[in-house]
Amino acid sequence: MGIPGQEKLWDKEEKGHRTYNDVRIFTDDQLNNYTEEELKNFKNKHDIPMLEELEKGPWPSFVSDLKREALHRRKLGKDNLMIEQDVAEDLLGLMELSYKEGETHWKHGGIVGVLGYGGGVIGRYCDQQQKFPAIAHFHTVRVAQPGGKFYTTDYLRTFCDIAEYRGSGITNLHGSTGDMVILGTFTDQLEPIFFDLTHDLGVDLGGSGSNLRTPSDCIGPARCEFACYDTLDMCYNLTMTYQDELHRPAFPYKFKFKFDGCPNGCVASIARSDMAFIGTWKDDIRINQDAVQEYVANKIPRDGGGMSGKDWGKFDIQAEVIDLCPTKCMNWDGKKLTINNAECNRCMHCINTMPEALRIGKDTGVSILLGAKAPILEGAQMSVLTIPFAYAKNPYDNIKNGVISKIFDWWIEEGKNRERLGELIQRMGLKTLIEVLGIPAMPQMVKEPRSNPYVFFKEEEVPGGWTRDINDYRSRHPR
Amino acid sequence: MSKGKFGYYNPQKPQENRITDVGPVHYMQLLPPSLRKNYGQWVSHRVIEPGILMHVAESGDKVYSVRCGGARIMSAEHIREICDIADKFANGYVRWTTRNNVEFIVDSEQKAKDLKKELDNRKFVAGSHKFPVGGTGNCITNIVHTQGWIHCHTPATDASGPVKVVMDELFDYFKSMTLPAKLRISLACCLNMCGAVHCSDIAMLGYHRKPPAEDHEVLGKVCEIPLVVAACPLYAIKPITLEDGRKSVTVNKEKCMYCGNCYTMCMALPLADKEGDGVAILAGGKISNRINPPKFSKVIVPWLPNNMPRWPEVVSTIKKIVEVYAKEANKYERLGDWAERIGWERFFEKVGLEFSWHLLDDYRLAYDTFRTSTQFKYTDHAWAVSKAAGVI
Amino acid sequence: MGREEDIRQAILDYGSKGAKSKFYFKDMLAGVKKVIPDAGASEVKNVASKMVAEGVMEYFSTGSSTMYGVKGRGISVEKSGDSGG
């Protein structure tokens, strides 16, 4: 996986790991090339009075940040930068124009990426190229983010040098799908950026277009006790298995995998991914009765301390946990907490409220939900519970063979151009989906049974089929 | 080191030394050692104070995470400053959350508190915080958002600007944990929602109100007409031949839902319009399965103007909703749960919002949102109906 | 001719003779299937990917979806956004 022999390229705990100094582009002098005083006196090339109103107020100002980058680039000078030094200044100027006019100044371009890839770059061109030549081209480069969005500073500093030397020096950390985004570069720098990313950082582009999009995960077992499976490993493993689908488009439209470790859903997989893997368990919630007593005695703050900014009164386990349980499967007799686990729907409320007393079960896996998408065209959809429980262990062959490859084949075969999986499910019905997967229907797939009786029976379900003999009928019913 | 216009890349031999299909860097090499050691062995957590989380492992190890907010747009200079802080306090490790916050992981409570102080003290020269600490527990954490005017070709509003002014106004909620439950805000700058805001407690959604303008002068020359026609999800675009014989297209204005897919394919169909464009507000959605299932956000304000640079109408509307919710909801109740408990009619009354015809669904499956019951509460909206009908 | 050559030719024919200079994978697959009925999606994809790598075909992206085209036909990727064409 990854570049052979480079699995620990950036590992600071390993001898001989790569450091920023091994591949850096800028010197320390170049990086520290302006003073606080110069920053205070910095005047952008274009006046930006409206944007400067966004430097006020306590929340971090992107305008202040862009001005800093603008000054830094100006002092670096054009000889030390592979695209125009004025990128940030022109971008601020263009934004100011949009603020005056209330209209965008960007156009789309068909460019997709680097040779052989069908995604990873979004083409962007300014429609005021005479006035703002430094951002005539302003393509986005999507870079695959590491699991859990963990970084070492060596890695990030190297990323920054590439983004600044060959691009605008402006990034998104992170894009909506999860990628590290280099925001703005010229066409002639796309291949050099790709070479720098693969050779120096050891990283690949992310997805765009009709591809598998860069899969993303929650922090999972790296630092969360709610993780029901290894979200980081599964995300990495599936990303590597489906590299071809990620880079070379043959899908009808975009496809997203997201990996949530538990039903709290920190990466919003249920709303945002065509195939959502959400951690769950099938045994019992683990109870530490002593800790329950401590919650009741107000010795441990409720909700992991996350509600401590306001006085909500003494903790009332009956009102706050037992009565709010959606299935009413819990009981508190004043001494002991009991849970009827068969009736539990694993909503996480009791565990979230008393994380030091209650823990997820030990027999864990994933629920697989299919078909979420943003509104266009049929309206927003959340994903449908399809596989109630699957074990999720490396190498995940059960899920790849039992679910993913069947879904991909079906969608490629039956999906119309630009039809998301959720729309295909809606068009052809859950009944077709379960046939494709070879699974029976279950009441867990619906909120409630259908209220219209218009069932389209299959011919083979009806004795004798649909071929009727009118003469037979007439033998009983004369005309 | 890759220097010069092409660096390692040889344009004459593009396949030479080319590396492809290597995916992301493996996460394990970027994890702080304390997390590697306790990987998958976490027992519980506690928010010690706003912005500081403590996680406890089976081994007895405790790690402390300090969380701070930031603009999603980050310059290389800003990231380098984050690296400096990570080198000084966190052994050179740092991470981002899914909501654009930055986290530093340290090994003692004292270090976490020192770091919090350091982060809160760092400010841009114009005065705003660089790294405000907060975003934990029952707070309003960072807003997830899209690109807006800084980079997108179909936005109906900006993204970074509205996010900045809303967070300025709600700053105290970011830095505290006083709300009944978590409150998640998001912004998408057009209805394509690359930010997928449709399950947020409060969402800002850029909305166009005018179909694209056909630039017949150049359309046939600069765009491939079959592609433009095929781009429209509602089949509202038809090819035409102009009087002088040139080819172009026409947009059926009644059918258009202002998605901008045609403009993506063809720069001769611009969509943006100062008077037409603005912001819709949605509320009451959520992602978590806690207590009740995830739910969609509902449109509660069909349109507010883009009033640059600080969108006062958007800010005051959101602030009002947050304040009433903070005051009235029960503990553990998300905004949508609260609105459902008191009834949406009471919600509109309490937050003082108009309920206009735009909020009556007329798209597909609209009937599902109609109330087919005698259970309702009397508010001014109800009396206005009886009066207007002349039946009271 | 071998099978790969057959598919390659079918893709080229579809891409250079049809009304659209850029097309979705699915439409291209249907075009190839008209000539080679048993051609499979992954087979056609692999050949098309090779042709892209060789510079015979190119991708064209709307950002949200991707199309294929024969390089040099129709409005080119490089020029598509420059100064209004």
PDB file of all heavy atoms in Angstrom, chain A residues 175-191:
ATOM      1  N   GLY A 175     -11.427  20.782   2.356  1.00  0.00           N
ATOM      2  CA  GLY A 175     -12.598  20.907   1.497  1.00  0.00           C
ATOM      3  C   GLY A 175     -13.779  20.159   2.098  1.00  0.00           C
ATOM      4  O   GLY A 175     -13.626  19.378   3.035  1.00  0.00           O
ATOM      5  N   SER A 176     -14.965  20.379   1.536  1.00  0.00           N
ATOM      6  CA  SER A 176     -16.175  19.786   2.120  1.00  0.00           C
ATOM      7  C   SER A 176     -16.101  18.263   2.183  1.00  0.00           C
ATOM      8  O   SER A 176     -16.580  17.647   3.119  1.00  0.00           O
ATOM      9  CB  SER A 176     -17.406  20.188   1.306  1.00  0.00           C
ATOM     10  OG  SER A 176     -17.660  21.559   1.480  1.00  0.00           O
ATOM     11  N   THR A 177     -15.503  17.647   1.167  1.00  0.00           N
ATOM     12  CA  THR A 177     -15.423  16.190   1.157  1.00  0.00           C
ATOM     13  C   THR A 177     -14.309  15.679   2.054  1.00  0.00           C
ATOM     14  O   THR A 177     -14.308  14.536   2.475  1.00  0.00           O
ATOM     15  CB  THR A 177     -15.267  15.689  -0.294  1.00  0.00           C
ATOM     16  OG1 THR A 177     -16.420  16.106  -1.020  1.00  0.00           O
ATOM     17  CG2 THR A 177     -15.154  14.185  -0.378  1.00  0.00           C
ATOM     18  N   GLY A 178     -13.348  16.547   2.355  1.00  0.00           N
ATOM     19  CA  GLY A 178     -12.288  16.161   3.274  1.00  0.00           C
ATOM     20  C   GLY A 178     -10.886  16.397   2.762  1.00  0.00           C
ATOM     21  O   GLY A 178      -9.936  16.359   3.536  1.00  0.00           O
ATOM     22  N   ASP A 179     -10.736  16.666   1.453  1.00  0.00           N
ATOM     23  CA  ASP A 179      -9.389  16.839   0.903  1.00  0.00           C
ATOM     24  C   ASP A 179      -8.678  18.057   1.473  1.00  0.00           C
ATOM     25  O   ASP A 179      -9.313  19.037   1.862  1.00  0.00           O
ATOM     26  CB  ASP A 179      -9.453  17.072  -0.615  1.00  0.00           C
ATOM     27  CG  ASP A 179     -10.158  15.978  -1.361  1.00  0.00           C
ATOM     28  OD1 ASP A 179      -9.497  15.005  -1.713  1.00  0.00           O
ATOM     29  OD2 ASP A 179     -11.384  16.097  -1.572  1.00  0.00           O
ATOM     30  N   MET A 180      -7.342  17.977   1.459  1.00  0.00           N
ATOM     31  CA  MET A 180      -6.541  19.188   1.593  1.00  0.00           C
ATOM     32  C   MET A 180      -6.629  19.875   0.228  1.00  0.00           C
ATOM     33  O   MET A 180      -6.441  19.225  -0.793  1.00  0.00           O
ATOM     34  CB  MET A 180      -5.071  18.866   1.849  1.00  0.00           C
ATOM     35  CG  MET A 180      -4.817  17.951   3.009  1.00  0.00           C
ATOM     36  SD  MET A 180      -3.050  17.519   3.102  1.00  0.00           S
ATOM     37  CE  MET A 180      -2.384  18.926   4.004  1.00  0.00           C
ATOM     38  N   VAL A 181      -6.926  21.159   0.216  1.00  0.00           N
ATOM     39  CA  VAL A 181      -7.161  21.822  -1.063  1.00  0.00           C
ATOM     40  C   VAL A 181      -6.134  22.926  -1.284  1.00  0.00           C
ATOM     41  O   VAL A 181      -5.967  23.796  -0.432  1.00  0.00           O
ATOM     42  CB  VAL A 181      -8.594  22.410  -1.097  1.00  0.00           C
ATOM     43  CG1 VAL A 181      -8.785  23.270  -2.330  1.00  0.00           C
ATOM     44  CG2 VAL A 181      -9.630  21.302  -1.059  1.00  0.00           C
ATOM     45  N   ILE A 182      -5.429  22.837  -2.419  1.00  0.00           N
ATOM     46  CA  ILE A 182      -4.582  23.959  -2.843  1.00  0.00           C
ATOM     47  C   ILE A 182      -5.470  24.824  -3.724  1.00  0.00           C
ATOM     48  O   ILE A 182      -5.932  24.389  -4.777  1.00  0.00           O
ATOM     49  CB  ILE A 182      -3.350  23.470  -3.630  1.00  0.00           C
ATOM     50  CG1 ILE A 182      -2.472  22.580  -2.748  1.00  0.00           C
ATOM     51  CG2 ILE A 182      -2.562  24.654  -4.180  1.00  0.00           C
ATOM     52  CD1 ILE A 182      -1.315  21.917  -3.492  1.00  0.00           C
ATOM     53  N   LEU A 183      -5.722  26.032  -3.267  1.00  0.00           N
ATOM     54  CA  LEU A 183      -6.723  26.868  -3.909  1.00  0.00           C
ATOM     55  C   LEU A 183      -6.021  27.823  -4.864  1.00  0.00           C
ATOM     56  O   LEU A 183      -5.516  28.848  -4.449  1.00  0.00           O
ATOM     57  CB  LEU A 183      -7.454  27.653  -2.811  1.00  0.00           C
ATOM     58  CG  LEU A 183      -8.867  28.108  -3.051  1.00  0.00           C
ATOM     59  CD1 LEU A 183      -9.792  26.945  -3.292  1.00  0.00           C
ATOM     60  CD2 LEU A 183      -9.366  28.887  -1.832  1.00  0.00           C
ATOM     61  N   GLY A 184      -5.986  27.484  -6.145  1.00  0.00           N
ATOM     62  CA  GLY A 184      -5.501  28.451  -7.099  1.00  0.00           C
ATOM     63  C   GLY A 184      -4.105  28.206  -7.624  1.00  0.00           C
ATOM     64  O   GLY A 184      -3.109  28.458  -6.948  1.00  0.00           O
ATOM     65  N   THR A 185      -4.049  27.722  -8.874  1.00  0.00           N
ATOM     66  CA  THR A 185      -2.773  27.669  -9.569  1.00  0.00           C
ATOM     67  C   THR A 185      -3.043  27.731 -11.065  1.00  0.00           C
ATOM     68  O   THR A 185      -4.190  27.667 -11.495  1.00  0.00           O
ATOM     69  CB  THR A 185      -1.963  26.413  -9.213  1.00  0.00           C
ATOM     70  OG1 THR A 185      -0.632  26.558  -9.714  1.00  0.00           O
ATOM     71  CG2 THR A 185      -2.601  25.160  -9.824  1.00  0.00           C
ATOM     72  N   PHE A 186      -1.952  27.880 -11.843  1.00  0.00           N
ATOM     73  CA  PHE A 186      -2.076  27.953 -13.293  1.00  0.00           C
ATOM     74  C   PHE A 186      -1.939  26.553 -13.898  1.00  0.00           C
ATOM     75  O   PHE A 186      -1.361  25.652 -13.289  1.00  0.00           O
ATOM     76  CB  PHE A 186      -1.023  28.901 -13.876  1.00  0.00           C
ATOM     77  CG  PHE A 186      -1.468  30.331 -13.895  1.00  0.00           C
ATOM     78  CD1 PHE A 186      -1.700  31.011 -12.714  1.00  0.00           C
ATOM     79  CD2 PHE A 186      -1.678  31.002 -15.098  1.00  0.00           C
ATOM     80  CE1 PHE A 186      -2.141  32.328 -12.717  1.00  0.00           C
ATOM     81  CE2 PHE A 186      -2.110  32.317 -15.111  1.00  0.00           C
ATOM     82  CZ  PHE A 186      -2.341  32.984 -13.930  1.00  0.00           C
ATOM     83  N   THR A 187      -2.439  26.431 -15.121  1.00  0.00           N
ATOM     84  CA  THR A 187      -2.430  25.131 -15.801  1.00  0.00           C
ATOM     85  C   THR A 187      -1.026  24.535 -15.872  1.00  0.00           C
ATOM     86  O   THR A 187      -0.843  23.345 -15.620  1.00  0.00           O
ATOM     87  CB  THR A 187      -3.030  25.278 -17.213  1.00  0.00           C
ATOM     88  OG1 THR A 187      -4.342  25.824 -17.087  1.00  0.00           O
ATOM     89  CG2 THR A 187      -3.109  23.942 -17.918  1.00  0.00           C
ATOM     90  N   ASP A 188      -0.018  25.371 -16.174  1.00  0.00           N
ATOM     91  CA  ASP A 188       1.325  24.807 -16.388  1.00  0.00           C
ATOM     92  C   ASP A 188       1.960  24.274 -15.097  1.00  0.00           C
ATOM     93  O   ASP A 188       2.976  23.593 -15.142  1.00  0.00           O
ATOM     94  CB  ASP A 188       2.252  25.806 -17.094  1.00  0.00           C
ATOM     95  CG  ASP A 188       2.532  27.045 -16.251  1.00  0.00           C
ATOM     96  OD1 ASP A 188       2.255  27.029 -15.027  1.00  0.00           O
ATOM     97  OD2 ASP A 188       3.028  28.043 -16.810  1.00  0.00           O
ATOM     98  N   GLN A 189       1.340  24.570 -13.958  1.00  0.00           N
ATOM     99  CA  GLN A 189       1.894  24.075 -12.699  1.00  0.00           C
ATOM    100  C   GLN A 189       1.220  22.785 -12.205  1.00  0.00           C
ATOM    101  O   GLN A 189       1.626  22.223 -11.188  1.00  0.00           O
ATOM    102  CB  GLN A 189       1.797  25.157 -11.619  1.00  0.00           C
ATOM    103  CG  GLN A 189       2.791  26.307 -11.827  1.00  0.00           C
ATOM    104  CD  GLN A 189       4.230  25.812 -11.847  1.00  0.00           C
ATOM    105  OE1 GLN A 189       4.675  25.125 -10.931  1.00  0.00           O
ATOM    106  NE2 GLN A 189       4.955  26.138 -12.915  1.00  0.00           N
ATOM    107  N   LEU A 190       0.211  22.333 -12.922  1.00  0.00           N
ATOM    108  CA  LEU A 190      -0.523  21.163 -12.428  1.00  0.00           C
ATOM    109  C   LEU A 190       0.353  19.916 -12.394  1.00  0.00           C
ATOM    110  O   LEU A 190       0.394  19.197 -11.389  1.00  0.00           O
ATOM    111  CB  LEU A 190      -1.780  20.912 -13.283  1.00  0.00           C
ATOM    112  CG  LEU A 190      -2.857  21.989 -13.165  1.00  0.00           C
ATOM    113  CD1 LEU A 190      -3.971  21.743 -14.183  1.00  0.00           C
ATOM    114  CD2 LEU A 190      -3.446  22.024 -11.756  1.00  0.00           C
ATOM    115  N   GLU A 191       1.062  19.650 -13.486  1.00  0.00           N
ATOM    116  CA  GLU A 191       1.928  18.464 -13.502  1.00  0.00           C
ATOM    117  C   GLU A 191       3.083  18.595 -12.506  1.00  0.00           C
ATOM    118  O   GLU A 191       3.344  17.656 -11.749  1.00  0.00           O
ATOM    119  CB  GLU A 191       2.457  18.200 -14.918  1.00  0.00           C
ATOM    120  CG  GLU A 191       1.411  17.710 -15.915  1.00  0.00           C
ATOM    121  CD  GLU A 191       0.946  16.273 -15.671  1.00  0.00           C
ATOM    122  OE1 GLU A 191       1.551  15.559 -14.850  1.00  0.00           O
ATOM    123  OE2 GLU A 191      -0.058  15.877 -16.313  1.00  0.00           O
TER     124      GLU A 191
END
